[in-house]
Amino acid sequence: MYDVERKRNGQNVFFIYVDEGASHRLRGRYWHSGLSRPAEFSDMDGLMLSLDRAMNDLKCPESSTAERRFGKRKQPREARGEETALREETSPSRKGEKATFVVQVQYRQHASWQGNVVWAERGERKPFRSVLELIKLIDSALEESGIPEG
C-alpha cells in the first residue's frame, strides 16, 4: 500500500477516492490541501472538469495557455482566501471504498495535464502526458481490480 500521508500536503497533489462504479460511471470524491473539504463527483467527465476548475482557482499548477470558450468570457473567480486553509476536521478519509489515486499534476501545457498518478492500493506509479492518458490509467486500474461495470 502506498503511503498516502507522505503526499498529503503537496501543492500539486490531488487525492481521488473512488467509492463506487467503474470506468466513466464512477462516483466518489477528490481532495487537495487547498480545499476546505472534499469535492464529490459522479462521473469521469465531472471529475476531470472539476479538477481543472480547482487547479484554475488554486493556480496550481498554473496553466500555460488561456482557456478558450464559446460565448462571453466570465470574470475570473476571486481567490478563496481563508477558505483554502486545511481544516483537520474536514480532511477526507484515507482511502476510497473501491480505489484511491494520488495524482500529481506537474504541468498544464498544451491545454492538458502532465504528471504522475499512483494507484495507492497497489503502490504502482505511472507518468501521464495528457488528461486522456490519465483517464485511461485510472480506467485500467479499476478494470484490473475487478470492479464491475455499472
Side-chain angles (χ1 to χ4, degrees), residues 69-96:
R69 57 187 313 131
F70 289 107
K72 293 183 181 179
R73 181 153 229 139
K74 290 184 179 181
Q75 293 296 327
R77 298 179 201 186
E78 291 297 316
R80 294 175 183 255
E82 66 184 66
E83 201 179 73
T84 60
L86 173 62
R87 295 181 190 95
E88 204 51 46
E89 69 273 13
T90 59
S91 65
S93 66
R94 305 280 191 254
K95 61 181 208 137

mmCIF file of all heavy atoms in Angstrom, residues 69-96:
data_model
loop_
_atom_site.group_PDB
_atom_site.id
_atom_site.type_symbol
_atom_site.label_atom_id
_atom_site.label_comp_id
_atom_site.label_asym_id
_atom_site.label_seq_id
_atom_site.Cartn_x
_atom_site.Cartn_y
_atom_site.Cartn_z
ATOM 1 N N ARG A 69 -13.291 29.511 -24.903
ATOM 2 C CA ARG A 69 -14.675 29.098 -24.683
ATOM 3 C C ARG A 69 -15.582 29.787 -25.677
ATOM 4 O O ARG A 69 -15.227 30.821 -26.220
ATOM 5 C CB ARG A 69 -15.102 29.381 -23.256
ATOM 6 C CG ARG A 69 -14.965 30.833 -22.840
ATOM 7 C CD ARG A 69 -15.219 31.120 -21.372
ATOM 8 N NE ARG A 69 -16.393 30.500 -20.858
ATOM 9 C CZ ARG A 69 -16.436 29.797 -19.727
ATOM 10 N NH1 ARG A 69 -15.364 29.668 -18.999
ATOM 11 N NH2 ARG A 69 -17.535 29.241 -19.310
ATOM 12 N N PHE A 70 -16.759 29.230 -25.878
ATOM 13 C CA PHE A 70 -17.783 29.871 -26.690
ATOM 14 C C PHE A 70 -18.508 30.887 -25.826
ATOM 15 O O PHE A 70 -18.577 30.738 -24.606
ATOM 16 C CB PHE A 70 -18.789 28.833 -27.201
ATOM 17 C CG PHE A 70 -18.222 27.925 -28.245
ATOM 18 C CD1 PHE A 70 -17.919 26.613 -27.951
ATOM 19 C CD2 PHE A 70 -18.001 28.394 -29.539
ATOM 20 C CE1 PHE A 70 -17.408 25.767 -28.908
ATOM 21 C CE2 PHE A 70 -17.484 27.557 -30.507
ATOM 22 C CZ PHE A 70 -17.185 26.241 -30.202
ATOM 23 N N GLY A 71 -19.049 31.919 -26.429
ATOM 24 C CA GLY A 71 -19.826 32.901 -25.679
ATOM 25 C C GLY A 71 -18.950 33.918 -24.991
ATOM 26 O O GLY A 71 -17.747 34.018 -25.222
ATOM 27 N N LYS A 72 -19.582 34.680 -24.112
ATOM 28 C CA LYS A 72 -18.879 35.734 -23.389
ATOM 29 C C LYS A 72 -17.947 35.149 -22.348
ATOM 30 O O LYS A 72 -18.254 34.152 -21.714
ATOM 31 C CB LYS A 72 -19.875 36.667 -22.709
ATOM 32 C CG LYS A 72 -20.681 37.465 -23.692
ATOM 33 C CD LYS A 72 -21.597 38.408 -22.975
ATOM 34 C CE LYS A 72 -22.430 39.187 -23.972
ATOM 35 N NZ LYS A 72 -23.351 40.086 -23.325
ATOM 36 N N ARG A 73 -16.846 35.809 -22.172
ATOM 37 C CA ARG A 73 -15.861 35.383 -21.183
ATOM 38 C C ARG A 73 -16.315 35.781 -19.787
ATOM 39 O O ARG A 73 -16.645 36.932 -19.548
ATOM 40 C CB ARG A 73 -14.521 36.030 -21.490
ATOM 41 C CG ARG A 73 -13.448 35.618 -20.518
ATOM 42 C CD ARG A 73 -12.106 35.688 -21.137
ATOM 43 N NE ARG A 73 -11.530 34.406 -20.794
ATOM 44 C CZ ARG A 73 -10.815 33.672 -21.588
ATOM 45 N NH1 ARG A 73 -10.573 34.054 -22.787
ATOM 46 N NH2 ARG A 73 -10.323 32.538 -21.202
ATOM 47 N N LYS A 74 -16.362 34.845 -18.883
ATOM 48 C CA LYS A 74 -16.722 35.133 -17.495
ATOM 49 C C LYS A 74 -15.560 35.804 -16.797
ATOM 50 O O LYS A 74 -14.407 35.589 -17.134
ATOM 51 C CB LYS A 74 -17.079 33.846 -16.751
ATOM 52 C CG LYS A 74 -18.372 33.237 -17.212
ATOM 53 C CD LYS A 74 -18.685 32.027 -16.360
ATOM 54 C CE LYS A 74 -20.003 31.415 -16.790
ATOM 55 N NZ LYS A 74 -20.346 30.269 -15.964
ATOM 56 N N GLN A 75 -15.889 36.603 -15.790
ATOM 57 C CA GLN A 75 -14.846 37.229 -14.978
ATOM 58 C C GLN A 75 -14.127 36.142 -14.190
ATOM 59 O O GLN A 75 -14.753 35.194 -13.717
ATOM 60 C CB GLN A 75 -15.471 38.237 -14.006
ATOM 61 C CG GLN A 75 -16.085 39.424 -14.707
ATOM 62 C CD GLN A 75 -15.050 40.251 -15.445
ATOM 63 O OE1 GLN A 75 -13.908 40.360 -15.008
ATOM 64 N NE2 GLN A 75 -15.423 40.811 -16.578
ATOM 65 N N PRO A 76 -12.817 36.265 -14.010
ATOM 66 C CA PRO A 76 -12.098 35.260 -13.217
ATOM 67 C C PRO A 76 -12.609 35.247 -11.782
ATOM 68 O O PRO A 76 -13.019 36.267 -11.244
ATOM 69 C CB PRO A 76 -10.641 35.710 -13.268
ATOM 70 C CG PRO A 76 -10.613 36.997 -13.984
ATOM 71 C CD PRO A 76 -11.968 37.307 -14.515
ATOM 72 N N ARG A 77 -12.605 34.072 -11.210
ATOM 73 C CA ARG A 77 -13.054 33.930 -9.821
ATOM 74 C C ARG A 77 -12.064 34.559 -8.873
ATOM 75 O O ARG A 77 -10.870 34.557 -9.114
ATOM 76 C CB ARG A 77 -13.206 32.459 -9.461
ATOM 77 C CG ARG A 77 -14.246 31.772 -10.295
ATOM 78 C CD ARG A 77 -14.286 30.330 -9.885
ATOM 79 N NE ARG A 77 -14.893 29.579 -10.987
ATOM 80 C CZ ARG A 77 -15.188 28.314 -10.906
ATOM 81 N NH1 ARG A 77 -14.933 27.647 -9.829
ATOM 82 N NH2 ARG A 77 -15.724 27.698 -11.911
ATOM 83 N N GLU A 78 -12.578 35.055 -7.775
ATOM 84 C CA GLU A 78 -11.717 35.621 -6.741
ATOM 85 C C GLU A 78 -11.008 34.490 -6.007
ATOM 86 O O GLU A 78 -11.512 33.374 -5.945
ATOM 87 C CB GLU A 78 -12.545 36.427 -5.730
ATOM 88 C CG GLU A 78 -13.123 37.694 -6.317
ATOM 89 C CD GLU A 78 -12.069 38.681 -6.758
ATOM 90 O OE1 GLU A 78 -11.098 38.887 -6.005
ATOM 91 O OE2 GLU A 78 -12.188 39.217 -7.878
ATOM 92 N N ALA A 79 -9.881 34.784 -5.437
ATOM 93 C CA ALA A 79 -9.156 33.787 -4.638
ATOM 94 C C ALA A 79 -10.019 33.363 -3.459
ATOM 95 O O ALA A 79 -10.832 34.127 -2.959
ATOM 96 C CB ALA A 79 -7.842 34.375 -4.155
ATOM 97 N N ARG A 80 -9.844 32.167 -3.017
ATOM 98 C CA ARG A 80 -10.676 31.616 -1.962
ATOM 99 C C ARG A 80 -10.383 32.157 -0.578
ATOM 100 O O ARG A 80 -11.141 31.934 0.342
ATOM 101 C CB ARG A 80 -10.541 30.101 -1.941
ATOM 102 C CG ARG A 80 -11.107 29.467 -3.174
ATOM 103 C CD ARG A 80 -10.828 27.983 -3.139
ATOM 104 N NE ARG A 80 -11.289 27.353 -4.338
ATOM 105 C CZ ARG A 80 -12.373 26.617 -4.409
ATOM 106 N NH1 ARG A 80 -13.118 26.414 -3.379
ATOM 107 N NH2 ARG A 80 -12.722 26.057 -5.548
ATOM 108 N N GLY A 81 -9.256 32.838 -0.403
ATOM 109 C CA GLY A 81 -8.947 33.438 0.897
ATOM 110 C C GLY A 81 -8.849 32.422 2.012
ATOM 111 O O GLY A 81 -8.177 31.410 1.879
ATOM 112 N N GLU A 82 -9.526 32.704 3.136
ATOM 113 C CA GLU A 82 -9.405 31.843 4.308
ATOM 114 C C GLU A 82 -9.987 30.459 4.090
ATOM 115 O O GLU A 82 -9.660 29.527 4.788
ATOM 116 C CB GLU A 82 -10.076 32.501 5.518
ATOM 117 C CG GLU A 82 -11.572 32.640 5.392
ATOM 118 C CD GLU A 82 -12.180 33.369 6.566
ATOM 119 O OE1 GLU A 82 -11.903 34.555 6.720
ATOM 120 O OE2 GLU A 82 -12.928 32.715 7.308
ATOM 121 N N GLU A 83 -10.846 30.301 3.094
ATOM 122 C CA GLU A 83 -11.445 29.008 2.820
ATOM 123 C C GLU A 83 -10.406 27.971 2.409
ATOM 124 O O GLU A 83 -10.635 26.782 2.524
ATOM 125 C CB GLU A 83 -12.466 29.189 1.696
ATOM 126 C CG GLU A 83 -13.493 28.121 1.620
ATOM 127 C CD GLU A 83 -14.471 28.412 0.495
ATOM 128 O OE1 GLU A 83 -14.098 28.265 -0.668
ATOM 129 O OE2 GLU A 83 -15.599 28.802 0.812
ATOM 130 N N THR A 84 -9.233 28.422 1.912
ATOM 131 C CA THR A 84 -8.223 27.487 1.427
ATOM 132 C C THR A 84 -7.431 26.809 2.541
ATOM 133 O O THR A 84 -6.727 25.855 2.286
ATOM 134 C CB THR A 84 -7.226 28.184 0.482
ATOM 135 O OG1 THR A 84 -6.584 29.216 1.186
ATOM 136 C CG2 THR A 84 -7.933 28.723 -0.747
ATOM 137 N N ALA A 85 -7.542 27.304 3.744
ATOM 138 C CA ALA A 85 -6.787 26.693 4.847
ATOM 139 C C ALA A 85 -7.322 25.297 5.148
ATOM 140 O O ALA A 85 -8.521 25.078 5.203
ATOM 141 C CB ALA A 85 -6.880 27.568 6.086
ATOM 142 N N LEU A 86 -6.430 24.362 5.327
ATOM 143 C CA LEU A 86 -6.824 22.999 5.651
ATOM 144 C C LEU A 86 -7.370 22.935 7.063
ATOM 145 O O LEU A 86 -6.749 23.402 7.997
ATOM 146 C CB LEU A 86 -5.614 22.062 5.521
ATOM 147 C CG LEU A 86 -5.817 20.624 5.998
ATOM 148 C CD1 LEU A 86 -6.893 19.937 5.170
ATOM 149 C CD2 LEU A 86 -4.529 19.860 5.932
ATOM 150 N N ARG A 87 -8.537 22.362 7.180
ATOM 151 C CA ARG A 87 -9.137 22.158 8.499
ATOM 152 C C ARG A 87 -9.144 20.660 8.762
ATOM 153 O O ARG A 87 -9.714 19.902 8.002
ATOM 154 C CB ARG A 87 -10.558 22.716 8.522
ATOM 155 C CG ARG A 87 -10.579 24.219 8.348
ATOM 156 C CD ARG A 87 -12.008 24.742 8.409
ATOM 157 N NE ARG A 87 -12.027 26.121 8.005
ATOM 158 C CZ ARG A 87 -12.296 26.530 6.764
ATOM 159 N NH1 ARG A 87 -12.568 25.657 5.819
ATOM 160 N NH2 ARG A 87 -12.302 27.809 6.483
ATOM 161 N N GLU A 88 -8.516 20.263 9.806
ATOM 162 C CA GLU A 88 -8.346 18.848 10.115
ATOM 163 C C GLU A 88 -9.677 18.109 10.192
ATOM 164 O O GLU A 88 -9.796 16.990 9.750
ATOM 165 C CB GLU A 88 -7.567 18.687 11.419
ATOM 166 C CG GLU A 88 -6.850 17.375 11.559
ATOM 167 C CD GLU A 88 -5.975 17.007 10.378
ATOM 168 O OE1 GLU A 88 -5.223 17.840 9.878
ATOM 169 O OE2 GLU A 88 -6.049 15.849 9.938
ATOM 170 N N GLU A 89 -10.710 18.762 10.744
ATOM 171 C CA GLU A 89 -11.980 18.076 10.889
ATOM 172 C C GLU A 89 -12.664 17.794 9.554
ATOM 173 O O GLU A 89 -13.551 16.960 9.480
ATOM 174 C CB GLU A 89 -12.934 18.840 11.810
ATOM 175 C CG GLU A 89 -13.461 20.157 11.239
ATOM 176 C CD GLU A 89 -12.557 21.343 11.515
ATOM 177 O OE1 GLU A 89 -11.402 21.152 11.937
ATOM 178 O OE2 GLU A 89 -13.007 22.476 11.310
ATOM 179 N N THR A 90 -12.267 18.500 8.494
ATOM 180 C CA THR A 90 -12.890 18.255 7.205
ATOM 181 C C THR A 90 -11.982 17.476 6.256
ATOM 182 O O THR A 90 -12.346 17.261 5.118
ATOM 183 C CB THR A 90 -13.290 19.582 6.529
ATOM 184 O OG1 THR A 90 -12.128 20.375 6.367
ATOM 185 C CG2 THR A 90 -14.344 20.308 7.309
ATOM 186 N N SER A 91 -10.821 17.057 6.710
ATOM 187 C CA SER A 91 -9.959 16.284 5.828
ATOM 188 C C SER A 91 -10.612 14.932 5.565
ATOM 189 O O SER A 91 -11.314 14.380 6.401
ATOM 190 C CB SER A 91 -8.565 16.113 6.426
ATOM 191 O OG SER A 91 -8.603 15.359 7.581
ATOM 192 N N PRO A 92 -10.409 14.388 4.376
ATOM 193 C CA PRO A 92 -11.125 13.186 3.961
ATOM 194 C C PRO A 92 -10.607 11.918 4.609
ATOM 195 O O PRO A 92 -9.559 11.909 5.236
ATOM 196 C CB PRO A 92 -10.852 13.151 2.458
ATOM 197 C CG PRO A 92 -9.525 13.792 2.322
ATOM 198 C CD PRO A 92 -9.483 14.867 3.380
ATOM 199 N N SER A 93 -11.399 10.860 4.417
ATOM 200 C CA SER A 93 -10.935 9.558 4.872
ATOM 201 C C SER A 93 -9.682 9.217 4.083
ATOM 202 O O SER A 93 -9.406 9.791 3.046
ATOM 203 C CB SER A 93 -12.024 8.506 4.638
ATOM 204 O OG SER A 93 -12.232 8.336 3.250
ATOM 205 N N ARG A 94 -8.929 8.291 4.551
ATOM 206 C CA ARG A 94 -7.624 7.981 3.980
ATOM 207 C C ARG A 94 -7.687 7.216 2.658
ATOM 208 O O ARG A 94 -6.697 7.083 1.979
ATOM 209 C CB ARG A 94 -6.799 7.164 4.972
ATOM 210 C CG ARG A 94 -6.661 7.846 6.314
ATOM 211 C CD ARG A 94 -5.594 8.906 6.244
ATOM 212 N NE ARG A 94 -5.251 9.398 7.543
ATOM 213 C CZ ARG A 94 -5.607 10.579 8.018
ATOM 214 N NH1 ARG A 94 -6.366 11.371 7.315
ATOM 215 N NH2 ARG A 94 -5.218 10.975 9.201
ATOM 216 N N LYS A 95 -8.865 6.670 2.297
ATOM 217 C CA LYS A 95 -8.933 5.906 1.052
ATOM 218 C C LYS A 95 -10.363 5.817 0.547
ATOM 219 O O LYS A 95 -11.313 6.027 1.298
ATOM 220 C CB LYS A 95 -8.339 4.523 1.215
ATOM 221 C CG LYS A 95 -9.035 3.653 2.229
ATOM 222 C CD LYS A 95 -8.353 2.308 2.332
ATOM 223 C CE LYS A 95 -9.382 1.288 2.756
ATOM 224 N NZ LYS A 95 -9.326 0.050 2.063
ATOM 225 N N GLY A 96 -10.478 5.504 -0.742
ATOM 226 C CA GLY A 96 -11.785 5.286 -1.346
ATOM 227 C C GLY A 96 -12.253 3.877 -1.045
ATOM 228 O O GLY A 96 -11.450 2.989 -0.757
#
